[in-house]
Amino acid sequence: STCYLTSSVLCLTSFVLLLMKDRVVVITGGSSGIGKALAEVFGKRGSKIVITGRNQTALDGAVKDLQQQQIEVLGVQADVTQE
């Protein structure tokens, strides 16, 4: 049933977040959108965060936002679409 599937997904998600406590999580595209939201979720649960982004200004803003939430974060300007 849908409820069972939803519960399983939530259980798995909680398990993954628990496993990543005190570990480094690298998130590409972490200066906005889904990437930044993931950085917040993992960071609030004790992961150390590295976010990458192409735009240094946006990246700096995201790092500042995450640090204000007491999240340990490092921002690295990078374009992972290039070899």
Side-chain angles (χ1 to χ4, degrees):
S1 78
T2 303
C3 291
Y4 179 75
L5 178 60
T6 301
S7 296
S8 297
V9 170
L10 291 174
C11 183
L12 180 59
T13 302
S14 296
F15 181 69
V16 169
L17 290 170
L18 181 64
L19 284 177
M20 297 309 293
K21 186 174 193 255
D22 297 322
R23 295 185 185 227
V24 176
V25 176
V26 179
I27 301 171
T28 60
S31 57
S32 65
I34 294 171
K36 185 177 176 193
L38 285 170
E40 289 176 7
V41 169
F42 278 101
K44 287 179 180 178
R45 285 163 180 81
S47 296
K48 297 172 180 124
I49 307 297
V50 177
I51 57 172
T52 70
R54 293 178 292 188
N55 181 297
Q56 186 67 54
T57 303
L59 190 61
D60 291 343
V63 167
K64 183 177 177 181
D65 289 346
L66 294 167
Q67 287 174 336
Q68 287 175 343
Q69 297 176 56
Q70 309 306 312
I71 295 172
E72 186 175 347
V73 59
L74 171 67
V76 178
Q77 185 179 19
D79 185 350
V80 297
T81 64
Q82 302 297 318
E83 291 183 31

